Amino acid sequence: MHDIFLIPGFFGFANFGDIKYFSHVREVLMSAANRNGHEVRIHYVKTLPTASLERRAAAVADAIVKSAAEGSSVHLVGHSTGGLDARLLTSPGVTLPSEHDVEALAKRVSSVVSVAAPHSGTPLASFFVDVVGQQFLWAFSTLTMHGLRLGSMPLPAMLALAGSLPSMGKQRGPLLGLLEQVYRQLLQDFDEPRRLELEEFLRAAQSDQSLLPQLAPQGAREVLAETSTRPTTRYGAVVTQARPPSLRSTVDVGLSPTGQAMYALYRGLHQLAGSMEAEDFEPLSEATRQKLIAAYGTLPTSRSNDSIVPTLSQAWGEVIHATWADHLDVIGHFSGPDLTPRHYDWLSTQTHFTIEKFESLWNDIADFVFADFVFAAE
């Protein structure tokens, strides 16, 4: 028996009514398990959206206690910050705010897979720590829900968010008021039950924002410096890189005002996420270097990113898959109007991630997760 726990990232919501954080992931993993004769249960971890890594890791421990079958092989697959939660939980000797025996739980974990995780931090976190940045996050997250729930992106909201990015980190009253207005207007498009649920989620995020400084490059180095790998746990990583903004891609977006506004938002995010220096990242092993060169044709630079996390920040452990994708593509939020359930790519990056690439990625994760079982059988 295998218990796979899917851990959402920063501001992650696991399942939010009929809005899925991990879209289509369960189907691919279950299909891979069935093909290879594995008995699998998949669980969605309900984390604390912006609480500290320690509290989020403790929430993962709680999920294992609550849901893992006795004697099963436990696997943790974390997207973005969720990958750091899994890394922290399985570090030998870690102290977490949990009533459970964390060391005993960590010993049960057979594999950890981090998907587009900021192991060296992300500079975007530094822009979200002040009141303007936090209001941007509320509006940005609500816009995400809007796109996934309603399949549409209001042009005024897109323009406002794209236009606010150059001023991130500055305490400006007019900008703060504009972002608050965008957030409130977006909420009005939801029915009352969903609106109340969303407001409750955002209030919970506002009550504890310890995570933000921990995700900044300096904070990530301090928090993760003392972590180490567990000899009995296998660690894999999925690395992503979005196509850099270009004039050609701007033309390819077409004349749609909404499409151009979405791409402008991406350009701003890409610029902010690409502001780390080469010395801010951990040195790459030769095996990792070759894997990235094979995937991208050349080694990613310190400016390369997936719109949220620098590409070089994601390489930790064994790189099991590297692909051209933005930060949300890899959890199923890419364009797929003919798929069931429908996939909506609300952040236009012109990276052209497809269902075939999605299934290849998650099948590689499945192969990695089940590899210890295959080895044991031999």
Side-chain angles (χ1 to χ4, degrees):
M1 165 68 76
H2 297 268
D3 280 299
I4 301 177
F5 290 83
L6 299 178
I7 311 169
F10 172 74
F11 246 87
F13 47 86
N15 292 330
F16 193 78
D18 56 352
I19 305 172
K20 308 300 183 185
Y21 184 93
F22 291 98
S23 180
H24 203 74
V25 169
R26 178 186 181 89
E27 291 85 346
V28 177
L29 291 179
M30 292 301 296
S31 178
N34 292 335
R35 282 197 307 271
N36 294 282
H38 300 310
E39 185 178 359
V40 172
R41 298 193 309 168
I42 297 176
H43 314 274
Y44 300 98
V45 178
K46 185 177 181 180
T47 60
L48 306 165
T50 55
S52 68
L53 288 172
E54 292 84 359
R55 288 191 64 198
R56 287 173 55 96
V60 178
D62 292 343
I64 295 173
V65 170
K66 179 180 179 181
S67 302
E70 184 176 355
S72 70
S73 181
V74 173
H75 309 273
L76 307 180
V77 181
H79 173 246
S80 194
T81 307
L84 304 187
D85 301 336
R87 173 179 171 178
L88 188 60
L89 172 63
T90 56
S91 180
V94 69
T95 300
L96 299 177
S98 173
E99 62 183 14
H100 307 299
D101 185 341
V102 173
E103 181 64 19
L105 292 173
K107 287 180 178 178
R108 293 191 58 186
V109 178
S110 298
S111 69
V112 167
V113 178
S114 60
V115 180
H119 293 284
S120 296
T122 171
L124 274 179
S126 302
F127 291 92
F128 295 151
V129 295
D130 66 12
V131 65
V132 174
Q134 290 168 20
Q135 191 62 58
F136 178 91
L137 276 178
W138 304 157
F140 185 78
S141 299
T142 308
L143 187 68
T144 304
M145 302 287 193
H146 195 287
L148 297 178
R149 176 67 178 84
L150 304 175
S152 64
M153 307 303 292
L155 179 59
M158 296 296 300
L159 290 172
L161 290 181
S164 70
L165 281 172
S167 301
M168 291 304 300
K170 299 179 181 179
Q171 297 278 355
R172 286 212 227 165
L175 179 59
L176 182 61
L178 173 64
L179 292 171
E180 170 70 18
Q181 184 180 11
V182 168
Y183 164 60
R184 292 297 171 189
Q185 288 177 341
L186 286 169
L187 278 181
Q188 296 309 308
D189 289 338
F190 292 88
D191 58 34
E192 185 175 2
R194 191 68 70 243
R195 183 167 63 249
L196 293 175
E197 190 176 7
L198 180 55
E199 288 182 315
E200 181 180 354
F201 172 82
L202 293 173
R203 278 195 299 270
Q206 195 170 21
S207 67
D208 184 353
Q209 299 181 37
S210 307
L211 181 61
L212 287 168
Q214 291 183 323
L215 293 184
Q218 180 61 36
R221 284 194 294 270
E222 292 174 355
V223 173
L224 300 174
E226 302 302 321
T227 62
S228 58
T229 57
R230 184 173 294 274
T232 54
T233 301
R234 301 168 59 249
Y235 295 86
V238 170
V239 176
T240 56
Q241 179 181 182
R243 301 285 180 182
S246 66
L247 178 59
R248 173 61 184 272
S249 292
T250 303
V251 173
D252 289 344
V253 170
L255 299 178
S256 164
T258 301
Q260 287 292 337
M262 291 168 68
Y263 195 66
L265 177 59
Y266 166 60
R267 283 200 305 269
L269 290 170
H270 190 278
Q271 182 177 359
L272 293 178
S275 58
M276 289 175 67
E277 301 298 332
E279 56 268 23
D280 293 329
F281 303 102
E282 294 294 324
L284 301 178
S285 68
E286 184 59 27
T288 294
R289 291 172 60 89
Q290 294 306 315
K291 187 84 174 186
L292 297 183
I293 291 172
Y296 302 120
T298 186
L299 191 67
T301 71
S302 60
R303 301 292 180 258
S304 305
N305 64 81
D306 65 3
S307 76
I308 301 294
V309 177
T311 300
L312 294 180
S313 185
Q314 303 172 30
W316 189 80
E318 177 187 348
V319 174
I320 59 176
H321 193 98
T323 186
W324 290 101
D326 67 47
H327 197 65
L328 301 178
D329 284 339
V330 292
I331 53 172
H333 303 169
F334 57 89
S335 180
D338 298 326
L339 299 174
T340 304
R342 181 178 185 270
H343 291 237
Y344 186 68
D345 187 15
W346 70 268
L347 182 60
S348 176
T349 67
Q350 293 298 294
T351 303
H352 304 300
F353 194 72
T354 63
I355 182 62
E356 291 78 17
K357 295 177 181 179
F358 177 84
E359 291 179 343
S360 174
L361 185 160
W362 284 96
N363 276 313
D364 280 353
I365 290 176
D367 288 344
F368 183 84
V369 164
F370 299 135
D372 59 331
F373 181 84
V374 173
F375 296 153
E378 294 177 350

